[in-house]
Every structure is written in C-alpha cells, then in structure tokens.
Amino acid sequence: MKAAVLPLALALTLICASRARAQADDYSKVEVKSTKVGGSVWMLEGAGGNIGVCAGPDGILLIDDQFAPLSDKIRAAVKAINPGKIAFIVNTHWHGDHTGGNPNFGREATIIAQDNVRKRLSIKQELPGRVTEPLPKEGLPVITFEEGVTLWFNGEEIDVIHLPHGHTDGDSAIVFKGSNVVHMGDQFFNGMFPVVDFATGGDVLGYTRNVETMIGKTPPGAKIIPGHGSLGTVEDLKKTYAMLLATTEAVRNEIAEGKSLDEIRKAGLPAEWKGWATDFVPTERWVEMIYRSLTKK
C-alpha cells in the first residue's frame, strides 16, 4: 500500500528521522561488508552512504564514514584490507549518513571537502522540520576547496571534483585515475530515484547536469561507487541520466498542460520508471522534487 502524500520537506524529515531511529536501535546488528572494486580501491557497505577505501603503501584514504556508532566496525573492516594509518577522509557532502564518523576519524586523519560542506557542518542547520547540530572541531574538514583538488596517494592521481547545486550545494565526485574507479556520493543513487535536498542548495536540474558531467569524465570500463545502491558502471550511470531526463520531461509536459502538483502526483510517471521507486523516495516524492525544481523562481 502506498503511503499518503506529504509535503516534501515533512516527508524527508520523517524519513530521515525514522531511519535514524531504526539505525540507532540496530547498530549492533549492522555488518560492514567490503568489496574489492579495482586497483587500490574498495567499497564498504554498512548503514548510510557507501564508503570508498583507497589502500596502499601510503596508508588509507576514506571517502565518507557513515554514522559515528559504526566507526569501530568501519575501522576493523579497513584494517582487514590494510593495517596502515587512516591518513585522509574526503566527504562527498555534508549529510550525517556520510559524515557522522568525522569526529572519530578526524582525530587521526585530515578531512577534505568542498567549502560548503565545512560551512554546513560547522553551524547549526535549522532546516524545515529538522535541526542538525554542528560537529565538534575534530569532525570538521581542515582542507577545503571551491572547484576541485588533486591528491597524489598510494600511487594514484585522485581528482576531487565539485558538482554544484545537485544533491546539495557541496557535492563532490572522486576519480581514481589509476584504478579506473569513481565515487559519486549521492550524485548517484544506483537504480533508484535520488534525493534532492532543496534546503541546502539541491536542484533536480543541477543534479541532472552533474550526472551528465560525470558521464563525460568517466572512462569506459570504470567502476562507479554510488552513494546508495550496488556497485555500478558507466552504463548504470547512463541509465540514471536517461531516467532523470525522461521523468523531468514528463512532469514538464504536465505543467505545460496546466495541471497542478496534486494532479501530476496522482497521474504518476510512465510505467517504465515504476521500478525506480523505493520506500525512501516513492514516485510521488520524486514527482514533487521535479515539480519544485521546474517551478521555482
């Protein structure tokens, strides 16, 4: 049975709150799974956003760090890959399911992120329906950038690329050139409708442009770590791009016919996109996100 449609801000708040409660109750049951992706790069799955691990003679670089209560399990999973020191953490954006472990890992590692990530994490975020407290000093990025930065680590040339106004205003993709691996953070929900956080600079049209940008920057045969979902390929990213274009056009056409948001939500989307809906982002929510992007002034 489909849930009743709620205003988008409230819906996202309730979803985040329910996930937080469930995860708080079940952290002891969470298992952190590691998968070799290619070259020096691994992927860790637990609760929250997928983690990237670059392991080699220079030590460890983490891409995101999930929730604070999972830090010991994440640390154990990393040590099973490589016993070296965790030297760097790159945050793909500011959300807590990707940065919650920062205060624990930041005591030993240098945290790197786009400028807006530090801004979001360092002050209280009083957003519609939710308040997020600032992280302590040890959880904040100490190296920030506006457009991008390159790291040379474990024999890899690692490009960190800012993707503006997509999922949030501070998203980055990380390209491991030697290993032919890309970590997209929440600019890629593999096989599902994504989340766009309007309250912190997100936009569906920007999200679509960012995906197009990364298709152009990703070599054939590359493996892509999504923020959520299973390990992907360039073809999977192209499928996401096709979904973004098609569903946006469907909603745009309905708006042009003078239909209201309620009418468009009730009509839904073409059947081919039905399988992209999840409990986290059902079709009605995704339609509302598109509508909001297309009609904002």
Side-chain angles (χ1 to χ4, degrees):
M1 182 176 70
K2 292 186 178 180
V5 176
L6 298 170
L8 181 59
L10 176 59
L12 291 176
T13 300
L14 293 177
I15 291 169
C16 291
S18 64
R19 288 183 71 186
R21 284 195 300 270
Q23 288 157 346
D25 291 339
D26 297 333
Y27 281 131
S28 64
K29 300 176 184 177
V30 172
E31 295 182 6
V32 177
K33 173 188 174 184
S34 62
T35 301
K36 180 68 179 289
V37 180
S40 67
V41 181
W42 297 68
M43 180 175 80
L44 300 184
E45 299 169 85
N50 292 327
I51 296 173
V53 179
C54 176
D58 297 331
I60 304 295
L61 179 150
L62 292 184
I63 309 297
D64 291 340
D65 49 34
Q66 295 190 356
F67 297 101
L70 292 173
S71 293
D72 287 345
K73 292 185 177 184
I74 292 167
R75 197 183 303 278
V78 170
K79 284 191 176 298
I81 296 170
N82 184 301
K85 178 183 183 295
I86 299 176
F88 296 100
I89 296 168
V90 178
N91 291 150
T92 60
H93 63 291
W94 77 275
H95 288 157
D97 62 322
H98 296 257
T99 62
N102 276 17
N104 296 330
F105 293 106
R107 295 186 178 95
E108 61 187 286
T110 300
I111 303 174
I112 303 169
Q114 203 274 339
D115 294 338
N116 290 325
V117 176
R118 180 180 171 91
K119 291 176 184 176
R120 300 288 181 193
L121 293 177
S122 61
I123 62 174
K124 180 184 290 188
Q125 295 293 317
E126 298 189 47
L127 306 173
R130 72 188 194 271
V131 174
T132 302
E133 296 296 330
L135 289 184
K137 179 181 177 181
E138 58 268 27
L140 299 177
V142 297
I143 296 176
T144 64
F145 57 88
E146 182 177 0
E147 298 297 334
V149 66
T150 299
L151 288 74
W152 302 85
F153 190 73
N154 287 333
E156 293 270 5
E157 180 181 351
I158 306 168
D159 287 342
V160 185
I161 304 166
H162 176 42
L163 300 174
H165 296 292
H167 176 63
T168 68
D169 59 8
D171 294 275
S172 295
I174 296 86
V175 180
F176 296 89
K177 291 188 173 180
S179 296
N180 202 21
V181 174
V182 178
H183 194 309
M184 288 280 290
D186 280 4
Q187 269 292 151
F188 181 31
F189 283 63
N190 193 8
M192 64 189 84
F193 295 139
V195 172
V196 173
D197 187 347
F198 292 93
T200 59
D203 178 78
V204 172
L205 302 182
Y207 194 107
T208 303
R209 287 192 297 271
N210 291 340
V211 171
E212 181 182 26
T213 294
M214 290 312 301
I215 289 172
K217 291 181 179 292
T218 303
K223 297 292 179 64
I224 305 177
I225 300 174
H228 299 272
S230 59
L231 184 64
T233 64
V234 179
E235 290 307 310
D236 293 321
L237 191 59
K238 289 179 178 178
K239 290 176 183 176
T240 292
Y241 182 59
M243 179 278 295
L244 293 166
L245 291 178
T247 56
T248 299
E249 187 63 18
V251 174
R252 182 182 283 113
N253 290 338
E254 299 277 17
I255 292 172
E257 292 176 7
K259 293 184 180 179
S260 68
L261 174 57
D262 283 344
E263 289 173 323
I264 299 172
R265 282 190 297 213
K266 289 176 183 177
L269 293 168
E272 65 184 297
W273 308 115
K274 181 179 179 180
W276 290 68
T278 63
D279 290 340
F280 190 51
V281 184
T283 299
E284 294 89 346
R285 310 275 189 267
W286 178 236
V287 166
E288 185 173 349
M289 292 182 207
I290 298 171
Y291 182 92
R292 183 170 176 179
S293 290
L294 292 175
T295 59
K296 70 179 182 180
K297 297 181 181 179

